[in-house]
DNA sequence: GATGAAAGCAGGGCGCT
DNA sequence: AGCGCCCTGCTTTCATC
């Protein structure tokens, strides 16, 4: 199901523009790309249907809404079994402080990106929501000095299909 | 400059709705919140000007555009000095594979979230862009099994100002 | 600062090429 | 599939309170 979708240069151009500003109008897109507005509408609808475009997200500045301190929490869950990680995942996802949440390979099972008001809130979060849980074996807190969102996520090379991996290492 | 902004209940309600769906029309917002559409427009424009709203971002599915493998790279930069980290940061930010990038406290100086086509590309990325750099002392690669975007980022409690930290621990 | 009415303009359907 | 017309309804302005 998460299969790669073929994107032609028009799709790529549209996606690139929309990633700069997701509210660009179809008329503007059309003017930039060199097709008719209705064609843009068509393309975007198709990209949406095929699952390439997941949605539009409002980006807020955490610091401006009283969440000036961000951190990454590396969490070990032991034993690392489905019965335990299900509730853990649901709880962490639901925390208002959670921004993103990863299940990983390596010594730490999860990485949680949190945004809080200050050190006291971070301490409360770690103690009340993590170390107090029986299945949480270890939490390592790393403060974020600075962060960057990187350039538009676009296909490997101009409209190319996924360059596939070497023999013996099939992609997921 | 990254100062907290006072948000009244109307602002909060609008932000909450826009985070569920960034394309909610001003008419709908107005109906929900209980003010006139033009007032919503006003509020949103003000939130944008004051820096609370950073922008609208299109969310794409990496797997559908030939980036089915994601990983977090923990990177040590030694010596950890401005002259070296400037160019490093710029280079990593510019990589098309980079999705997000953090400067951290703790044993690893940076964390880079990357999306690639498959293991071969990840290997190439690590070898050519990280371990080949003189200032990169160590890279630890952690694959991402699964990830979640967490709930709407909103102020700590209903319109409250940032509950401040304990004495001796001023927030940034 | 909030409002309602009025004008301008974008979104989306449809038939044609 | 791409295009252009057209209508609907949203966005945005402005005078007014």
């Amino acid at each position: 199901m998460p299969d790669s979708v073929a994107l032609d240069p028009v799709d790529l151009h549209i996606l690139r523009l929309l990633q700069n500003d997701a509210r660009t109008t179809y008329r503007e897109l059309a003017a930039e790309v060199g097709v008719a507005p209705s064609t843009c509408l068509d393309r975007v609808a198709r990209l949406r249907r095929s699952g390439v475009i997941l949605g539009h997200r409002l980006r807020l500045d955490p610091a401006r809404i009283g969440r000036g301190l961000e951190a990454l929490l590396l969490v070990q869950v032991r034993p690392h079994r489905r019965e335990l990680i299900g509730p853990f995942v649901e709880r962490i996802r639901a925390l208002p402080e959670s921004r993103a949440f990863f299940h990983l390979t390596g010594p730490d099972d999860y990485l949680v990106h949190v945004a809080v008001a200050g050190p006291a809130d971070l301490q409360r979060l770690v103690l009340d929501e993590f170390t107090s849980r029986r299945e949480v074996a270890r939490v390592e807190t790393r403060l974020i000095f600075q962060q960057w969102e990187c350039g538009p996520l676009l296909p490997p090379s101009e409209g190319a299909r996924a360059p596939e991996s070497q023999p013996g290492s099939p992609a997921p």
Side-chain angles (χ1 to χ4, degrees), chain A residues 1 23 33 46 70 74 84 96 119-120 150:
Chain A
M1 228 244 184
R23 276 156 58 111
V33 176
R46 220 176 312 161
E70 294 185 64
L74 292 158
L84 288 168
C150 300

Side-chain angles (χ1 to χ4, degrees), chain A residues 30-76:
Chain A
E32 284 280 349
V33 176
V35 294
S38 51
T39 303
C40 281
L41 192 73
D42 236 40
R43 294 299 192 115
V44 172
R46 220 176 312 161
L47 289 168
R48 193 174 277 281
R49 261 185 282 112
S50 64
V52 172
I53 294 176
L54 292 173
H56 295 247
R57 176 146 282 219
L58 197 70
R59 299 192 314 117
L60 299 187
D61 183 350
R64 306 262 180 180
I65 56 176
R67 305 282 207 86
L69 182 62
E70 294 185 64
L72 300 179
L73 308 180
L74 292 158
V75 185
Q76 260 185 20

Side-chain angles (χ1 to χ4, degrees), chain A residues 17-36:
Chain A
L17 293 168
L18 283 178
Q19 287 203 63
N20 289 338
D21 177 7
R23 276 156 58 111
T24 309
T25 65
Y26 293 114
R27 290 177 143 74
E28 279 183 82
L29 286 181
E32 284 280 349
V33 176
V35 294

Side-chain angles (χ1 to χ4, degrees), chain A residues 67-134:
Chain A
R67 305 282 207 86
L69 182 62
E70 294 185 64
L72 300 179
L73 308 180
L74 292 158
V75 185
Q76 260 185 20
V77 171
R78 292 296 133 82
H80 193 194
R81 299 207 327 263
R82 282 194 184 273
E83 314 86 90
L84 288 168
I85 67 180
F88 170 77
V89 166
E90 284 318 308
R91 179 63 188 142
I92 301 312
R93 287 190 60 184
L95 291 175
E97 291 87 355
S98 294
R99 297 197 60 185
F101 185 27
F102 301 88
H103 187 193
L104 299 177
T105 65
D108 306 293
D109 304 308
Y110 293 94
L111 183 138
V112 190
H113 178 182
V114 300
V116 296
D121 281 289
L122 185 57
Q123 182 186 38
R124 181 194 52 72
L125 186 68
V126 170
L127 293 176
D128 294 350
E129 299 292 348
F130 289 86
T131 58
S132 68
R133 297 183 70 93
R134 299 189 47 134

